[in-house]
Amino acid sequence: MSESVDSADGWQLFLSSIPDGALLVNADGYIAMANEALASYTGYGVSDLIGASVELLVPQKVAGDHVLAREKFLEGAQSRPFGSHTHLALATRDGTLREVDIALSQITLDGEPMSLAIVRDLDDLHRTSLHSDSDLRYRLAFDISVAPIVFTDDHDRILAANDAFCDLLGRTRDELLGQDSTLFTYPLDLGLTEASLERVRRREVDAEHYVKRYVHRDGRVLVVEVARRAAYDASGHLLFNVISERDVTEERSLTAQLAHQALHDPLTGLANRALLEDRLARARAKITRQGGFGAILMVDLDDFKDVNDSHGHLIGDQVLIAVARRLEEVARTADTLCRFGGDEFVYLVEGVHQAEQVRRIAERLLGALERPFTIMGLSLQQHASIGVATWDIESPDDLAILEQADLALYEAKRLGRNRYVVFSPRLHQSHAGRGHDLQALRDALSDGSLSMHFQPIVSAATTTAVGFEALMRWRHHERGWISPSEFLSLAESTDLIGDLGSFALREATRAAASWSSAPDGPYVTVNLSARQLFDPELASRVRTALVDSALEPSRLVIEIPERAALEDAARASLVVDELRLLGVGCALDGFGDGLASLAQLLHLDLRFVKIDRSLIRPPTGASLRDALVEVIVTLGHRAGIDVVAQGIETSDDLARLRAAGCALSQGFLFSQAVPLSEVSTLMGMPLGVEDSKVNPSSMSAIQASATSAS
Ligand code: C2E
Ligand code: CA
């Protein structure tokens, strides 16, 4: 630089343009030029400095050495960059010393050799560099940043904090300046900051990222993500830390919540299938390492469908929750209790050494369900059956273990329920038992023992049947009439369910076509399970049935279970629309979950909503339910949907439902489901006039099925 600027004016300009303090010193040690920055560091005026000995600015202690050093420097004719010497001090007018760093170069001015000294005030850099004009841009960014940012010194004491940081902690800047983070760090996390600072100080790392907790002034614990970076001087001395933070308190709790949701059953809070599979894999790995064996206990509630049917889903759900709590009470902490789906629970036992231990666990689980449950004022008995499969290193894969437990469970049910069965290879043969039932059902499809019965749907205005619900019946050669709740679940686990669906559609459309050929003749409704509803073949099955029977599409209605529609509303809506294109309407079946889900389900393009029996014959809170029914009817009307009240058993039920505005009803008061041959006797005549009007032949069918089920 000495060559490029060689006039006094040039040097004057240069000195005044740099933010650091700067001075020119001649060979005799007198100050030839000084800038404003230096004047302000030292407290002198520029004019006081010019002509003064440079030792004026040197601490007295070292002034003598300084003279020698300066002369030597001029002789040596080199330059010296910042950072070459540490702990240099500048004496100010009031006698105090400031820590500075000084860079030196040799120049010539008007042919005379001079030293150019640039003085960087380290105190200033430490404490106030953020306030100097040269850092204006950074300062503004710092001030307006929505991210909490703080500068700290080498002891991590706060030098500057922006508004976002103050807001984060609910503290004023005055409270924070000069403090270290101990003031607001969550006590257990104090070591974190200390360790991080130490690593930065030793220059093991330049930047650190970690998560720690703070305590807000109001006592709330905050979780923050911290990014820390340090600035060093040329000698490696830590000058300051910049710390930027992000409040992740909500995010963390949300993530934890989501993680929990992904792995737990929302109703009971127990582990779900995904978590079970993970635990099972881990348990197997552990047994491979440590020996011993494990067990799967598959717990299935006995006749749980009856609870749902006679008391409704609301009570059914409460029973599931209560069962989960009871099982939890006897569960060992090392084991995993999972809701496997519906009314099925799986209990995973890890690291046992005797078969006897597993038997005792099974007994404890059964024992936990001995006492009746009290739910919404009702006393309910709910037992379970358990299938047990044990495994060790030699065992086949997870799926096979679950299958074995399932087989043992099936055997426990077959032997009369409320018991446990341990899997043994012998059961593989009796798997034939289940296979046998399935085969019998398959045969029933073709040998005529499977048929559809029809229950009238009655208009409140005319008290005559305007349509019929088709309900499937199986007349078993040994067991008599079996109701669908018994055999459908068996079929659900195989492809047979598709064939049963086609059968129901075919028989129902044929029947309806036989009642009348008029487009406004009575309609028929056909039930579909969730699995059937989402069967990609559904539309083609429906179309085939319509074509074969030549039934007017508007006389067919598909009943969609509320549960299925709620589980996947988007898919349900696609199905409804697809059927609509064929001219077929849909009914939402078993509606009982309440208004929130109704609001969601009314988006579906429905023809009917069928209110669940639990709302019609509530065990408790009758008036509340009546009010609810009224709201459903009103909302339904507004959406152009007719409401059907199901499970009307007495004229009293009927009166209440009429008062609530229900235009259509169904139930034993009018008739049970009757075989096709008896439908004509119900057609066109007033129904439900007396409570006793129950068709005798179908009554015996139901009784037969009831006895066979228990
Ligand atoms: P759901 O759709 O709720 O059918 C109504 C059930 O309530 C029928 O039982 C019917 O007999 C019974 N019910 C009718 N009125 C009354 C009454 O006043 N009081 C009482 N206590 N019960 C009444 P069902 O026939 O045993 O059918 C049980 C379930 O099986 C049906 O429930 C339905 O979900 C399913 N289901 C029946 N047929 C079929 C079918 O063809 N396909 C499919 N996928 N499911 C079917
Ligand atoms: Ca139904």
Side-chain angles (χ1 to χ4, degrees), residues 305 309-310 452 455 469-473 482-488 492 497 500-501 503-505 526-530 532 559 561 589-590 610 612-613 617 646-650 653 666-669 671-673 702 705:
K305 195 165 187 305
D309 282 353
S310 47
M452 300 308 286
Q455 185 180 37
E469 173 172 7
L471 293 160
M472 198 176 280
R473 296 287 179 269
I482 305 179
S483 85
S485 35
E486 271 204 70
F487 59 80
L488 281 176
E492 283 274 348
I497 191 68
L500 288 181
F503 175 86
L505 283 165
V526 176
N527 289 282
L528 285 188
S529 66
Q532 292 173 303
E559 297 200 5
D589 196 13
K610 300 185 74 176
D612 196 56
R613 193 144 50 90
R617 317 209 81 223
Q646 305 191 86
I648 302 287
E649 292 183 357
T650 64
D653 294 340
Q666 195 183 338
F668 293 168
L669 172 66
S671 168
Q672 302 202 8
I702 294 292
S705 85

Side-chain angles (χ1 to χ4, degrees), residues 431-505:
H431 178 36
R434 181 185 188 164
H436 186 261
D437 287 354
L438 268 172
Q439 190 52 47
L441 186 52
R442 201 165 273 133
D443 294 343
L445 267 171
S446 49
D447 70 12
S449 58
L450 200 69
S451 61
M452 300 308 286
H453 279 42
F454 300 90
Q455 185 180 37
I457 298 170
V458 177
S459 148
T462 63
T463 69
T464 56
V466 285
F468 290 84
E469 173 172 7
L471 293 160
M472 198 176 280
R473 296 287 179 269
W474 180 15
R475 183 171 205 161
H476 194 276
H477 56 95
E478 284 165 6
R479 291 160 65 192
W481 290 103
I482 305 179
S483 85
S485 35
E486 271 204 70
F487 59 80
L488 281 176
S489 55
L490 183 65
E492 283 274 348
S493 57
T494 73
D495 287 344
L496 189 56
I497 191 68
D499 296 337
L500 288 181
S502 293
F503 175 86
L505 283 165

Side-chain angles (χ1 to χ4, degrees), residues 310-329:
S310 47
H311 303 292
H313 297 313
L314 290 173
I315 298 244
D317 284 354
Q318 295 305 314
V319 171
L320 289 171
I321 295 169
V323 165
R325 295 293 86 82
R326 290 264 186 97
L327 296 178
E328 246 172 3
E329 277 171 24

Side-chain angles (χ1 to χ4, degrees), residues 4 48 53 63 113 156 241 261 266 318 363 369 371 394 403 406 427 442 444 468 510 537 553 570 586 619 648 684:
S4 57
D48 300 330
S53 158
D156 225 17
N241 301 286
Q261 273 169 17
Q318 295 305 314
E363 275 155 19
L369 306 181
R371 278 176 293 131
E394 318 267 276
E403 256 169 29
D406 204 31
L427 284 182
R442 201 165 273 133
F468 290 84
R510 264 193 206 163
E537 308 267 290
C586 286
I648 302 287

Side-chain angles (χ1 to χ4, degrees), residues 259-273:
H260 188 271
Q261 273 169 17
L263 297 175
H264 291 83
D265 164 50
L267 182 68
T268 60
L270 295 181
N272 66 11
R273 238 171 146 124

Side-chain angles (χ1 to χ4, degrees), residues 120-183:
R120 184 158 290 171
D121 187 337
L122 294 187
D123 280 355
D124 197 36
L125 199 63
H126 283 198
R127 301 224 164 75
T128 55
S129 65
L130 287 164
H131 300 274
S132 75
D133 288 352
S134 63
D135 284 327
L136 187 62
R137 266 180 303 181
Y138 294 107
R139 194 204 144 117
L140 286 177
F142 171 76
D143 282 348
I144 65 154
S145 168
V146 289
I149 301 176
V150 63
F151 285 79
T152 65
D153 67 11
D154 55 345
H155 293 289
D156 225 17
R157 286 174 303 224
I158 296 177
L159 299 170
N162 69 357
D163 288 348
F165 187 80
C166 298
D167 291 348
L168 174 73
L169 294 167
R171 293 178 183 271
T172 64
R173 192 165 285 108
D174 283 350
E175 280 177 284
L176 293 171
L177 290 183
Q179 297 284 345
D180 66 23
S181 60
T182 319
L183 176 70

